[in-house]
PDB file of all heavy atoms in Angstrom:
ATOM      1  N   GLU A 311      -0.069 -17.639  -3.268  1.00  0.00           N
ATOM      2  CA  GLU A 311       0.651 -18.943  -3.496  1.00  0.00           C
ATOM      3  C   GLU A 311       1.474 -18.916  -4.753  1.00  0.00           C
ATOM      4  O   GLU A 311       2.640 -19.358  -4.751  1.00  0.00           O
ATOM      5  CB  GLU A 311      -0.427 -20.068  -3.656  1.00  0.00           C
ATOM      6  CG  GLU A 311       0.119 -21.446  -3.971  1.00  0.00           C
ATOM      7  CD  GLU A 311       1.029 -21.990  -2.856  1.00  0.00           C
ATOM      8  OE1 GLU A 311       0.873 -21.580  -1.670  1.00  0.00           O
ATOM      9  OE2 GLU A 311       1.885 -22.798  -3.138  1.00  0.00           O
ATOM     10  N   VAL A 312       0.973 -18.355  -5.844  1.00  0.00           N
ATOM     11  CA  VAL A 312       1.710 -18.279  -7.081  1.00  0.00           C
ATOM     12  C   VAL A 312       2.975 -17.414  -6.987  1.00  0.00           C
ATOM     13  O   VAL A 312       3.978 -17.720  -7.649  1.00  0.00           O
ATOM     14  CB  VAL A 312       0.800 -17.793  -8.232  1.00  0.00           C
ATOM     15  CG1 VAL A 312       1.578 -17.489  -9.478  1.00  0.00           C
ATOM     16  CG2 VAL A 312      -0.281 -18.850  -8.536  1.00  0.00           C
ATOM     17  N   THR A 313       2.882 -16.388  -6.198  1.00  0.00           N
ATOM     18  CA  THR A 313       3.968 -15.415  -6.135  1.00  0.00           C
ATOM     19  C   THR A 313       4.835 -15.482  -4.893  1.00  0.00           C
ATOM     20  O   THR A 313       5.739 -14.722  -4.661  1.00  0.00           O
ATOM     21  CB  THR A 313       3.458 -13.941  -6.204  1.00  0.00           C
ATOM     22  OG1 THR A 313       2.651 -13.648  -5.048  1.00  0.00           O
ATOM     23  CG2 THR A 313       2.602 -13.712  -7.450  1.00  0.00           C
ATOM     24  N   LYS A 314       4.607 -16.522  -4.107  1.00  0.00           N
ATOM     25  CA  LYS A 314       5.303 -16.622  -2.774  1.00  0.00           C
ATOM     26  C   LYS A 314       6.795 -16.687  -2.894  1.00  0.00           C
ATOM     27  O   LYS A 314       7.527 -16.300  -1.909  1.00  0.00           O
ATOM     28  CB  LYS A 314       4.735 -17.800  -1.997  1.00  0.00           C
ATOM     29  CG  LYS A 314       5.093 -19.185  -2.588  1.00  0.00           C
ATOM     30  CD  LYS A 314       4.550 -20.287  -1.748  1.00  0.00           C
ATOM     31  CE  LYS A 314       4.897 -21.665  -2.417  1.00  0.00           C
ATOM     32  NZ  LYS A 314       4.306 -22.786  -1.555  1.00  0.00           N
ATOM     33  N   ASP A 315       7.342 -17.209  -3.989  1.00  0.00           N
ATOM     34  CA  ASP A 315       8.776 -17.317  -4.120  1.00  0.00           C
ATOM     35  C   ASP A 315       9.416 -16.152  -4.925  1.00  0.00           C
ATOM     36  O   ASP A 315      10.568 -16.172  -5.209  1.00  0.00           O
ATOM     37  CB  ASP A 315       9.156 -18.641  -4.774  1.00  0.00           C
ATOM     38  CG  ASP A 315       8.765 -19.827  -3.898  1.00  0.00           C
ATOM     39  OD1 ASP A 315       8.920 -19.703  -2.651  1.00  0.00           O
ATOM     40  OD2 ASP A 315       8.333 -20.830  -4.459  1.00  0.00           O
ATOM     41  N   HIS A 316       8.576 -15.187  -5.314  1.00  0.00           N
ATOM     42  CA  HIS A 316       9.112 -14.070  -6.067  1.00  0.00           C
ATOM     43  C   HIS A 316       9.998 -13.169  -5.158  1.00  0.00           C
ATOM     44  O   HIS A 316       9.704 -12.984  -3.996  1.00  0.00           O
ATOM     45  CB  HIS A 316       7.947 -13.236  -6.650  1.00  0.00           C
ATOM     46  CG  HIS A 316       7.285 -13.865  -7.806  1.00  0.00           C
ATOM     47  ND1 HIS A 316       6.322 -13.189  -8.593  1.00  0.00           N
ATOM     48  CD2 HIS A 316       7.366 -15.107  -8.320  1.00  0.00           C
ATOM     49  CE1 HIS A 316       5.896 -14.071  -9.529  1.00  0.00           C
ATOM     50  NE2 HIS A 316       6.529 -15.159  -9.390  1.00  0.00           N
ATOM     51  N   ASP A 317      11.069 -12.706  -5.723  1.00  0.00           N
ATOM     52  CA  ASP A 317      12.028 -11.985  -4.874  1.00  0.00           C
ATOM     53  C   ASP A 317      12.390 -10.582  -5.454  1.00  0.00           C
ATOM     54  O   ASP A 317      13.409  -9.989  -5.124  1.00  0.00           O
ATOM     55  CB  ASP A 317      13.325 -12.785  -4.756  1.00  0.00           C
ATOM     56  CG  ASP A 317      13.922 -13.230  -6.087  1.00  0.00           C
ATOM     57  OD1 ASP A 317      13.406 -12.798  -7.153  1.00  0.00           O
ATOM     58  OD2 ASP A 317      14.894 -14.003  -6.128  1.00  0.00           O
ATOM     59  N   GLY A 318      11.487 -10.076  -6.283  1.00  0.00           N
ATOM     60  CA  GLY A 318      11.747  -8.745  -6.859  1.00  0.00           C
ATOM     61  C   GLY A 318      11.441  -7.672  -5.809  1.00  0.00           C
ATOM     62  O   GLY A 318      12.288  -7.098  -5.186  1.00  0.00           O
ATOM     63  N   PHE A 319      10.151  -7.417  -5.592  1.00  0.00           N
ATOM     64  CA  PHE A 319       9.718  -6.600  -4.487  1.00  0.00           C
ATOM     65  C   PHE A 319       8.320  -7.071  -4.042  1.00  0.00           C
ATOM     66  O   PHE A 319       7.681  -7.856  -4.751  1.00  0.00           O
ATOM     67  CB  PHE A 319       9.737  -5.119  -4.771  1.00  0.00           C
ATOM     68  CG  PHE A 319       8.736  -4.651  -5.805  1.00  0.00           C
ATOM     69  CD1 PHE A 319       7.501  -4.191  -5.445  1.00  0.00           C
ATOM     70  CD2 PHE A 319       9.143  -4.554  -7.125  1.00  0.00           C
ATOM     71  CE1 PHE A 319       6.609  -3.718  -6.402  1.00  0.00           C
ATOM     72  CE2 PHE A 319       8.229  -4.115  -8.101  1.00  0.00           C
ATOM     73  CZ  PHE A 319       6.984  -3.692  -7.728  1.00  0.00           C
ATOM     74  N   THR A 320       7.896  -6.581  -2.859  1.00  0.00           N
ATOM     75  CA  THR A 320       6.678  -7.130  -2.253  1.00  0.00           C
ATOM     76  C   THR A 320       5.576  -6.048  -2.263  1.00  0.00           C
ATOM     77  O   THR A 320       5.795  -4.857  -1.819  1.00  0.00           O
ATOM     78  CB  THR A 320       6.886  -7.556  -0.827  1.00  0.00           C
ATOM     79  OG1 THR A 320       7.812  -8.681  -0.805  1.00  0.00           O
ATOM     80  CG2 THR A 320       5.559  -8.090  -0.214  1.00  0.00           C
ATOM     81  N   LEU A 321       4.413  -6.448  -2.804  1.00  0.00           N
ATOM     82  CA  LEU A 321       3.248  -5.550  -2.745  1.00  0.00           C
ATOM     83  C   LEU A 321       2.253  -6.149  -1.720  1.00  0.00           C
ATOM     84  O   LEU A 321       1.700  -7.237  -1.940  1.00  0.00           O
ATOM     85  CB  LEU A 321       2.581  -5.450  -4.144  1.00  0.00           C
ATOM     86  CG  LEU A 321       1.223  -4.678  -4.149  1.00  0.00           C
ATOM     87  CD1 LEU A 321       1.442  -3.207  -3.773  1.00  0.00           C
ATOM     88  CD2 LEU A 321       0.558  -4.831  -5.538  1.00  0.00           C
ATOM     89  N   SER A 322       2.032  -5.448  -0.668  1.00  0.00           N
ATOM     90  CA  SER A 322       1.061  -5.871   0.336  1.00  0.00           C
ATOM     91  C   SER A 322      -0.225  -5.000   0.171  1.00  0.00           C
ATOM     92  O   SER A 322      -0.137  -3.812   0.143  1.00  0.00           O
ATOM     93  CB  SER A 322       1.602  -5.670   1.735  1.00  0.00           C
ATOM     94  OG  SER A 322       2.801  -6.415   1.943  1.00  0.00           O
ATOM     95  N   VAL A 323      -1.356  -5.685   0.050  1.00  0.00           N
ATOM     96  CA  VAL A 323      -2.587  -5.034  -0.156  1.00  0.00           C
ATOM     97  C   VAL A 323      -3.394  -5.077   1.174  1.00  0.00           C
ATOM     98  O   VAL A 323      -3.678  -6.160   1.617  1.00  0.00           O
ATOM     99  CB  VAL A 323      -3.424  -5.642  -1.315  1.00  0.00           C
ATOM    100  CG1 VAL A 323      -4.745  -4.897  -1.527  1.00  0.00           C
ATOM    101  CG2 VAL A 323      -2.601  -5.689  -2.581  1.00  0.00           C
ATOM    102  N   ALA A 324      -3.715  -3.920   1.716  1.00  0.00           N
ATOM    103  CA  ALA A 324      -4.445  -3.944   3.005  1.00  0.00           C
ATOM    104  C   ALA A 324      -5.916  -3.928   2.724  1.00  0.00           C
ATOM    105  O   ALA A 324      -6.492  -2.965   2.219  1.00  0.00           O
ATOM    106  CB  ALA A 324      -4.049  -2.653   3.797  1.00  0.00           C
ATOM    107  N   LEU A 325      -6.563  -5.050   3.061  1.00  0.00           N
ATOM    108  CA  LEU A 325      -8.007  -5.280   2.860  1.00  0.00           C
ATOM    109  C   LEU A 325      -8.629  -5.620   4.186  1.00  0.00           C
ATOM    110  O   LEU A 325      -8.077  -6.334   5.013  1.00  0.00           O
ATOM    111  CB  LEU A 325      -8.222  -6.358   1.924  1.00  0.00           C
ATOM    112  CG  LEU A 325      -7.862  -6.205   0.408  1.00  0.00           C
ATOM    113  CD1 LEU A 325      -8.167  -7.411  -0.379  1.00  0.00           C
ATOM    114  CD2 LEU A 325      -8.596  -4.995  -0.191  1.00  0.00           C
ATOM    115  N   ALA A 326      -9.847  -5.052   4.480  1.00  0.00           N
ATOM    116  CA  ALA A 326     -10.476  -5.277   5.723  1.00  0.00           C
ATOM    117  C   ALA A 326      -9.477  -4.998   6.867  1.00  0.00           C
ATOM    118  O   ALA A 326      -9.350  -5.746   7.816  1.00  0.00           O
ATOM    119  CB  ALA A 326     -11.019  -6.674   5.876  1.00  0.00           C
ATOM    120  N   TYR A 327      -8.795  -3.888   6.687  1.00  0.00           N
ATOM    121  CA  TYR A 327      -7.647  -3.561   7.550  1.00  0.00           C
ATOM    122  C   TYR A 327      -8.005  -2.468   8.528  1.00  0.00           C
ATOM    123  O   TYR A 327      -8.665  -1.437   8.178  1.00  0.00           O
ATOM    124  CB  TYR A 327      -6.446  -3.098   6.760  1.00  0.00           C
ATOM    125  CG  TYR A 327      -5.279  -2.620   7.621  1.00  0.00           C
ATOM    126  CD1 TYR A 327      -4.384  -3.530   8.147  1.00  0.00           C
ATOM    127  CD2 TYR A 327      -5.178  -1.327   7.965  1.00  0.00           C
ATOM    128  CE1 TYR A 327      -3.385  -3.116   8.966  1.00  0.00           C
ATOM    129  CE2 TYR A 327      -4.197  -0.855   8.766  1.00  0.00           C
ATOM    130  CZ  TYR A 327      -3.257  -1.755   9.331  1.00  0.00           C
ATOM    131  OH  TYR A 327      -2.296  -1.351  10.144  1.00  0.00           O
ATOM    132  N   GLY A 328      -7.594  -2.624   9.770  1.00  0.00           N
ATOM    133  CA  GLY A 328      -7.734  -1.573  10.774  1.00  0.00           C
ATOM    134  C   GLY A 328      -6.458  -1.586  11.625  1.00  0.00           C
ATOM    135  O   GLY A 328      -5.935  -2.630  12.042  1.00  0.00           O
ATOM    136  N   GLY A 329      -5.928  -0.395  11.878  1.00  0.00           N
ATOM    137  CA  GLY A 329      -4.690  -0.292  12.616  1.00  0.00           C
ATOM    138  C   GLY A 329      -4.703  -0.892  13.992  1.00  0.00           C
ATOM    139  O   GLY A 329      -3.789  -1.678  14.346  1.00  0.00           O
ATOM    140  N   ARG A 330      -5.756  -0.646  14.767  1.00  0.00           N
ATOM    141  CA  ARG A 330      -5.854  -1.248  16.086  1.00  0.00           C
ATOM    142  C   ARG A 330      -6.164  -2.715  15.994  1.00  0.00           C
ATOM    143  O   ARG A 330      -5.785  -3.546  16.823  1.00  0.00           O
ATOM    144  CB  ARG A 330      -6.891  -0.470  16.923  1.00  0.00           C
ATOM    145  CG  ARG A 330      -6.468   0.896  17.326  1.00  0.00           C
ATOM    146  CD  ARG A 330      -7.469   1.654  18.150  1.00  0.00           C
ATOM    147  NE  ARG A 330      -8.677   1.965  17.411  1.00  0.00           N
ATOM    148  CZ  ARG A 330      -9.715   2.650  17.829  1.00  0.00           C
ATOM    149  NH1 ARG A 330      -9.640   3.101  19.043  1.00  0.00           N
ATOM    150  NH2 ARG A 330     -10.731   2.926  17.063  1.00  0.00           N
ATOM    151  N   ASN A 331      -6.979  -3.065  14.990  1.00  0.00           N
ATOM    152  CA  ASN A 331      -7.371  -4.461  14.801  1.00  0.00           C
ATOM    153  C   ASN A 331      -6.173  -5.377  14.557  1.00  0.00           C
ATOM    154  O   ASN A 331      -6.132  -6.529  15.020  1.00  0.00           O
ATOM    155  CB  ASN A 331      -8.375  -4.578  13.685  1.00  0.00           C
ATOM    156  CG  ASN A 331      -9.102  -5.932  13.661  1.00  0.00           C
ATOM    157  OD1 ASN A 331      -9.512  -6.388  14.696  1.00  0.00           O
ATOM    158  ND2 ASN A 331      -9.132  -6.566  12.488  1.00  0.00           N
ATOM    159  N   GLU A 332      -5.174  -4.846  13.870  1.00  0.00           N
ATOM    160  CA  GLU A 332      -3.989  -5.715  13.554  1.00  0.00           C
ATOM    161  C   GLU A 332      -3.271  -6.089  14.820  1.00  0.00           C
ATOM    162  O   GLU A 332      -2.765  -7.214  14.984  1.00  0.00           O
ATOM    163  CB  GLU A 332      -3.084  -5.006  12.601  1.00  0.00           C
ATOM    164  CG  GLU A 332      -2.223  -3.911  13.177  1.00  0.00           C
ATOM    165  CD  GLU A 332      -1.150  -3.380  12.263  1.00  0.00           C
ATOM    166  OE1 GLU A 332      -1.069  -3.875  11.090  1.00  0.00           O
ATOM    167  OE2 GLU A 332      -0.318  -2.575  12.704  1.00  0.00           O
ATOM    168  N   ILE A 333      -3.269  -5.141  15.831  1.00  0.00           N
ATOM    169  CA  ILE A 333      -2.553  -5.420  17.103  1.00  0.00           C
ATOM    170  C   ILE A 333      -3.461  -6.377  17.929  1.00  0.00           C
ATOM    171  O   ILE A 333      -2.939  -7.295  18.607  1.00  0.00           O
ATOM    172  CB  ILE A 333      -2.322  -4.125  17.829  1.00  0.00           C
ATOM    173  CG1 ILE A 333      -1.340  -3.273  17.020  1.00  0.00           C
ATOM    174  CG2 ILE A 333      -1.770  -4.369  19.194  1.00  0.00           C
ATOM    175  CD1 ILE A 333      -1.092  -1.873  17.562  1.00  0.00           C
ATOM    176  N   VAL A 334      -4.807  -6.237  17.813  1.00  0.00           N
ATOM    177  CA  VAL A 334      -5.695  -7.117  18.536  1.00  0.00           C
ATOM    178  C   VAL A 334      -5.488  -8.569  18.056  1.00  0.00           C
ATOM    179  O   VAL A 334      -5.432  -9.521  18.819  1.00  0.00           O
ATOM    180  CB  VAL A 334      -7.169  -6.661  18.355  1.00  0.00           C
ATOM    181  CG1 VAL A 334      -8.082  -7.761  18.909  1.00  0.00           C
ATOM    182  CG2 VAL A 334      -7.421  -5.365  19.093  1.00  0.00           C
ATOM    183  N   LEU A 335      -5.421  -8.743  16.708  1.00  0.00           N
ATOM    184  CA  LEU A 335      -5.250 -10.046  16.138  1.00  0.00           C
ATOM    185  C   LEU A 335      -3.908 -10.720  16.599  1.00  0.00           C
ATOM    186  O   LEU A 335      -3.888 -11.889  16.905  1.00  0.00           O
ATOM    187  CB  LEU A 335      -5.323  -9.991  14.605  1.00  0.00           C
ATOM    188  CG  LEU A 335      -6.659  -9.571  14.024  1.00  0.00           C
ATOM    189  CD1 LEU A 335      -6.582  -9.474  12.464  1.00  0.00           C
ATOM    190  CD2 LEU A 335      -7.780 -10.600  14.370  1.00  0.00           C
ATOM    191  N   ALA A 336      -2.899  -9.855  16.656  1.00  0.00           N
ATOM    192  CA  ALA A 336      -1.591 -10.388  17.062  1.00  0.00           C
ATOM    193  C   ALA A 336      -1.665 -10.801  18.549  1.00  0.00           C
ATOM    194  O   ALA A 336      -1.145 -11.828  18.946  1.00  0.00           O
ATOM    195  CB  ALA A 336      -0.486  -9.348  16.870  1.00  0.00           C
ATOM    196  N   ALA A 337      -2.381 -10.005  19.385  1.00  0.00           N
ATOM    197  CA  ALA A 337      -2.511 -10.284  20.821  1.00  0.00           C
ATOM    198  C   ALA A 337      -3.287 -11.608  21.026  1.00  0.00           C
ATOM    199  O   ALA A 337      -2.900 -12.388  21.903  1.00  0.00           O
ATOM    200  CB  ALA A 337      -3.212  -9.160  21.483  1.00  0.00           C
ATOM    201  N   ARG A 338      -4.301 -11.801  20.198  1.00  0.00           N
ATOM    202  CA  ARG A 338      -5.053 -13.090  20.317  1.00  0.00           C
ATOM    203  C   ARG A 338      -4.148 -14.307  20.074  1.00  0.00           C
ATOM    204  O   ARG A 338      -4.240 -15.300  20.779  1.00  0.00           O
ATOM    205  CB  ARG A 338      -6.194 -13.054  19.300  1.00  0.00           C
ATOM    206  CG  ARG A 338      -7.356 -12.205  19.692  1.00  0.00           C
ATOM    207  CD  ARG A 338      -8.426 -12.185  18.651  1.00  0.00           C
ATOM    208  NE  ARG A 338      -9.533 -11.269  18.943  1.00  0.00           N
ATOM    209  CZ  ARG A 338     -10.501 -10.932  18.094  1.00  0.00           C
ATOM    210  NH1 ARG A 338     -10.467 -11.473  16.845  1.00  0.00           N
ATOM    211  NH2 ARG A 338     -11.438 -10.106  18.450  1.00  0.00           N
ATOM    212  N   GLU A 339      -3.293 -14.188  19.068  1.00  0.00           N
ATOM    213  CA  GLU A 339      -2.408 -15.318  18.699  1.00  0.00           C
ATOM    214  C   GLU A 339      -1.454 -15.583  19.895  1.00  0.00           C
ATOM    215  O   GLU A 339      -1.176 -16.718  20.198  1.00  0.00           O
ATOM    216  CB  GLU A 339      -1.662 -15.018  17.451  1.00  0.00           C
ATOM    217  CG  GLU A 339      -2.463 -15.021  16.187  1.00  0.00           C
ATOM    218  CD  GLU A 339      -1.613 -14.820  14.945  1.00  0.00           C
ATOM    219  OE1 GLU A 339      -0.380 -14.788  15.028  1.00  0.00           O
ATOM    220  OE2 GLU A 339      -2.208 -14.709  13.838  1.00  0.00           O
ATOM    221  N   ILE A 340      -0.941 -14.492  20.449  1.00  0.00           N
ATOM    222  CA  ILE A 340       0.071 -14.659  21.521  1.00  0.00           C
ATOM    223  C   ILE A 340      -0.600 -15.216  22.778  1.00  0.00           C
ATOM    224  O   ILE A 340      -0.078 -16.151  23.434  1.00  0.00           O
ATOM    225  CB  ILE A 340       0.711 -13.268  21.839  1.00  0.00           C
ATOM    226  CG1 ILE A 340       1.584 -12.821  20.648  1.00  0.00           C
ATOM    227  CG2 ILE A 340       1.583 -13.372  23.117  1.00  0.00           C
ATOM    228  CD1 ILE A 340       2.064 -11.411  20.762  1.00  0.00           C
ATOM    229  N   VAL A 341      -1.823 -14.766  23.079  1.00  0.00           N
ATOM    230  CA  VAL A 341      -2.544 -15.273  24.251  1.00  0.00           C
ATOM    231  C   VAL A 341      -2.812 -16.773  24.083  1.00  0.00           C
ATOM    232  O   VAL A 341      -2.733 -17.549  24.972  1.00  0.00           O
ATOM    233  CB  VAL A 341      -3.867 -14.451  24.462  1.00  0.00           C
ATOM    234  CG1 VAL A 341      -4.732 -15.173  25.476  1.00  0.00           C
ATOM    235  CG2 VAL A 341      -3.530 -13.062  24.952  1.00  0.00           C
ATOM    236  N   SER A 342      -3.216 -17.107  22.845  1.00  0.00           N
ATOM    237  CA  SER A 342      -3.509 -18.505  22.551  1.00  0.00           C
ATOM    238  C   SER A 342      -2.294 -19.410  22.730  1.00  0.00           C
ATOM    239  O   SER A 342      -2.342 -20.466  23.286  1.00  0.00           O
ATOM    240  CB  SER A 342      -4.036 -18.638  21.109  1.00  0.00           C
ATOM    241  OG  SER A 342      -4.277 -19.979  20.783  1.00  0.00           O
ATOM    242  N   ALA A 343      -1.088 -18.865  22.288  1.00  0.00           N
ATOM    243  CA  ALA A 343       0.125 -19.615  22.446  1.00  0.00           C
ATOM    244  C   ALA A 343       0.516 -19.771  23.928  1.00  0.00           C
ATOM    245  O   ALA A 343       1.043 -20.786  24.312  1.00  0.00           O
ATOM    246  CB  ALA A 343       1.244 -18.887  21.688  1.00  0.00           C
ATOM    247  N   VAL A 344       0.207 -18.780  24.724  1.00  0.00           N
ATOM    248  CA  VAL A 344       0.496 -18.812  26.192  1.00  0.00           C
ATOM    249  C   VAL A 344      -0.365 -19.888  26.815  1.00  0.00           C
ATOM    250  O   VAL A 344       0.081 -20.724  27.620  1.00  0.00           O
ATOM    251  CB  VAL A 344       0.256 -17.465  26.872  1.00  0.00           C
ATOM    252  CG1 VAL A 344       0.306 -17.598  28.381  1.00  0.00           C
ATOM    253  CG2 VAL A 344       1.343 -16.439  26.382  1.00  0.00           C
TER     254      VAL A 344
END
Side-chain angles (χ1 to χ4, degrees):
E311 178 63 25
V312 169
T313 64
K314 66 180 181 181
D315 295 323
H316 286 191
D317 54 6
F319 67 90
T320 299
L321 173 66
S322 299
V323 182
L325 293 177
Y327 174 86
R330 289 180 292 184
N331 193 46
E332 74 170 5
I333 297 175
V334 169
L335 293 175
R338 286 176 183 169
E339 289 185 7
I340 294 172
V341 169
S342 179
V344 170

